[in-house]
């Protein structure tokens, strides 16, 4: 499998460049999660990074690769939306 050296910004991996495996489309995954085991009384944690474009070229405006940016709130959870499903409406606040 191919890999690409991808830089990380923010969080505990700030400034590091790690080889990340590429998918079948040639892009790294949208989310990169780093599991950290429990150590010296600290609970286990998972650091989440999301993929963003690294920049664009001046001449043709083509994208120049990817960079992972730290997401302190963790990975966003999304629901699958089927065309035949009803939309959920939030419950009204209690007064």
């Amino acid at each position: 499998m191919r890999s690409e050296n991808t830089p990380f910004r923010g969080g505990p991996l700030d400034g590091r460049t790690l080889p990340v495996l590429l998918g079948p489309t040639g892009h790294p995954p949208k989310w990169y999660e780093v599991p950290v085991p429990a150590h010296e009384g600290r609970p286990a944690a998972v650091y989440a990074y999301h993929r963003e474009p690294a920049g664009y070229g001046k001449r043709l405006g083509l994208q120049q690769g990817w960079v992972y940016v730290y997401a302190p709130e963790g990975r966003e959870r999304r629901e699958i939306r089927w065309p035949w499903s009803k939309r959920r409406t939030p419950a009204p606040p209690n007064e």
Side-chain angles (χ1 to χ4, degrees), residues 10-59:
L13 296 179
D14 189 28
R16 294 187 185 178
T17 301
L18 299 176
V20 176
L21 291 176
L22 303 178
T25 60
H27 298 294
K30 290 183 181 180
W31 286 91
Y32 190 84
E33 294 179 342
V34 181
V36 179
H39 184 63
E40 295 182 2
R42 291 184 178 177
V46 176
Y47 298 124
Y49 289 84
H50 67 277
R51 180 186 73 187
E52 289 186 354
Y56 296 94
K58 292 181 181 179
R59 186 172 181 144

Side-chain angles (χ1 to χ4, degrees), residues 53-65:
Y56 296 94
K58 292 181 181 179
R59 186 172 181 144
L60 297 175
L62 298 175
Q63 185 177 329
Q64 296 179 337

